[in-house]
Amino acid sequence: MTRIRVRLDALRDRSYTVEIRPGILAEVPLLLSRSEGKRRMFVITDSNVTRYYGRALNSKLAAAGCEVTVLDVPAGERSKGSPTVNFLYTKVFRGGIRRDSLIIALGGGVIGDLAGYIAATVLRGVRLVQIPTTLLAQVDSSVGGKVGIDHPAGKNLIGAFHQPSAVYIDPEALLTLPPDEFRNGFAEVIKIAAALDAPFFANIERNAQRIRRENTALNAKILETAVALKASVVEKDERETGLRRVLNLGHTIGHALESSGGFALKHGQAVAIGMAVEARISRELGLLGASDCQRLTAMLEAADLPVTPPRSINERAFMSAIALDKKSDVSGTRFVLLRRIGECAPGVPVPADLIRKTMGLVSKKSTHG
Ligand SMILES: NC(=O)c1ccc[n+]([C@@H]2O[C@H](COP(=O)([O-])OP(=O)(O)OC[C@H]3O[C@@H](n4cnc5c(N)ncnc54)[C@H](O)[C@@H]3O)[C@@H](O)[C@H]2O)c1
Ligand SMILES: [Zn+2]
């Protein structure tokens, strides 16, 4: 069992523990009934996760004497928007939510962001427990307190910082995850390693052939390192005013690919392409050596992730999505680039022509006129 402490705020202690252990999901009802038993509980989950884990959690919490309501929404990114938020507000008000109630997010990153946003805003904030069930959510979104929803104008444009009071991570939950969702989450593992920790990167490189959802022991180890790295970044920069920006490696290109492509690409695929392109940009700007650029691309390919943009990309929509990036300021869009594996160069402005070139948009333009 691994316990990682996320230390925040000297004044009002908002520190919390992330527990990572194969099989912990079966024990969560008992743990929660002990720590939170008197609170009214609302489990927010999706239509897939409720079948695998939601019903069992509900019946065990009820058997432990907890007053619990399970609310499930359709699986998928489309649920991360204001219509679902309003649906859930109505449900929790009808269910008698109070300031001392607890919201439990059981599911992938969509549910973590959505349920977290409900917890951050309803009655100006109630307690939140994260039980992430995708690799992406376990390694990235469940720790750090970023919650939010999408808007027709773009992804994750509405949100808040709302730290959970506990996070329970069960590597065995990955056994039911569709393999492409596992690959998708692995992009964020590669991101954390490439951005922050060269030995960790070398470790996953060595184990590349053994990486799959069934390898619970290896996944538990990878999760421990990746979550500890994320926690240390969040502790130093909770509100993303500095260091935390390095976790956006691959995301400037990635988010623009997602939004300009109508979200046909999964987040992890878009981030994988984003990392490969941003490594090429880093190389072109003389920041990153050829061998580290190649290592990152090879690691992404070994994890069965894409490294080149789809041919169907709409250049105009893509470039305007880049300009809309949350990291843009008066001088243009600022990228998190790489200096070497394990070390980033945040806040680098990149000329539009270099973005087009490394995305392969220049040659396409000239061939098609
Ligand atoms: N808040 C943050 O810091 C942060 C960081 C990264 C990503 N995100 C957000 O996370 C979202 C993507 O998350 P995701 O990739 O987890 O997507 P997701 O939540 O849609 O889950 C992917 C699919 O897996 C299914 N699923 C989940 N757990 C399962 C399990 N154990 N077994 C079987 N099926 C399971 C879900 O029903 C869904 O169909 C995006 O909206 C992204 O913006 C947030
Ligand atoms: Zn991401």
Side-chain angles (χ1 to χ4, degrees):
M1 139 91 84
T2 301
R3 288 212 168 115
I4 295 161
R5 195 89 183 136
V6 182
R7 290 173 210 285
L8 297 166
D9 257 15
L11 285 176
R12 189 169 68 87
D13 191 10
R14 292 173 304 117
S15 303
Y16 53 96
T17 302
V18 184
E19 295 201 31
I20 306 171
R21 178 155 42 94
I24 201 171
L25 209 49
E27 290 162 37
V28 163
L30 193 62
L31 295 171
L32 283 179
S33 70
R34 280 194 197 134
S35 63
E36 316 270 351
K38 295 199 172 51
R39 298 172 195 277
R40 180 93 181 75
M41 298 181 188
F42 295 86
V43 177
I44 298 180
T45 187
D46 76 21
S47 46
N48 295 327
V49 179
T50 198
R51 281 189 290 123
Y52 289 115
Y53 307 107
R55 286 176 198 154
L57 181 64
N58 183 22
S59 55
K60 283 189 188 164
L61 279 171
C66 300
E67 214 186 322
V68 58
T69 305
V70 177
L71 302 168
D72 60 86
V73 302
E77 186 76 28
R78 273 174 194 275
S79 282
K80 221 179 96 174
S82 55
T84 316
V85 168
N86 282 326
F87 163 82
L88 289 171
Y89 284 151
T90 305
K91 289 285 185 187
V92 295
F93 289 134
R94 281 197 194 138
I97 195 163
R98 304 188 330 191
R99 288 297 300 275
D100 63 355
S101 297
L102 172 72
I103 288 183
I104 301 170
L106 174 72
V110 165
I111 290 300
D113 281 7
L114 173 69
Y117 183 71
I118 300 285
T121 50
V122 75
L123 305 175
R124 291 208 184 82
V126 300
R127 274 161 81 88
L128 169 70
V129 164
Q130 292 272 10
I131 310 178
T133 61
T134 62
L135 179 58
L136 183 138
Q138 294 185 340
V139 81
D140 198 353
S141 57
S142 62
V143 176
K146 273 198 198 175
V147 298
I149 56 169
D150 303 330
H151 183 273
K155 214 174 121 67
N156 295 332
L157 288 182
I158 300 165
F161 287 93
H162 190 68
Q163 299 290 343
S165 45
V167 184
Y168 298 104
I169 297 181
D170 190 341
E172 282 179 2
L174 304 178
L175 294 172
T176 54
L177 197 63
D180 62 327
E181 294 295 348
F182 181 83
R183 283 194 283 276
N184 194 37
F186 211 82
E188 302 282 9
V189 174
I190 296 173
K191 174 200 77 178
I192 289 173
L196 293 162
D197 192 328
F200 180 38
F201 190 90
N203 191 325
I204 54 176
E205 251 177 345
R206 271 196 308 278
N207 283 294
Q209 297 307 315
R210 297 171 57 223
I211 290 166
R212 52 185 176 277
R213 61 178 189 167
E214 290 81 7
N215 202 340
T216 300
L218 176 64
N219 293 336
K221 287 272 166 235
I222 288 174
L223 281 163
E224 284 164 16
T225 310
V227 171
L229 283 166
K230 171 122 194 212
S232 73
V233 169
V234 170
E235 279 175 359
K236 290 182 196 118
D237 178 23
E238 185 190 359
R239 300 263 161 165
E240 198 172 313
T241 50
L243 176 68
R244 189 167 177 172
R245 290 188 192 141
V246 301
L247 295 174
N248 288 319
L249 180 67
H251 282 63
T252 308
I253 295 287
H255 279 156
L257 278 169
E258 278 179 277
S259 57
S260 65
F263 298 100
L265 276 178
K266 298 286 297 181
H267 181 70
Q269 295 174 313
V271 169
I273 298 167
M275 278 189 279
V277 171
E278 291 176 15
R280 291 199 282 275
I281 293 175
S282 310
R283 170 107 187 84
E284 292 273 341
L285 290 175
L287 288 164
L288 182 70
S291 77
D292 274 1
C293 181
Q294 173 52 29
R295 270 177 80 195
L296 178 54
T297 308
M299 182 66 233
L300 293 164
E301 285 175 325
D304 237 342
L305 286 159
V307 293
T308 45
R311 293 177 64 83
S312 56
I313 181 170
N314 176 330
E315 179 174 343
R316 187 179 299 178
F318 175 80
M319 292 306 288
S320 50
I322 289 277
L324 254 179
D325 188 272
K326 290 201 284 298
K327 294 174 293 305
S328 299
D329 58 24
V330 281
S331 53
T333 304
R334 294 185 173 269
F335 280 66
V336 177
L337 297 180
L338 270 182
R339 239 184 261 288
R340 59 176 68 87
I341 297 291
E343 193 190 326
C344 289
V348 184
V350 178
D353 280 352
L354 184 55
I355 299 174
R356 286 196 193 89
K357 180 181 168 193
T358 49
M359 284 286 294
L361 291 168
V362 174
S363 54
K364 206 160 118 186
K365 207 171 164 191
S366 56
T367 12
H368 297 289

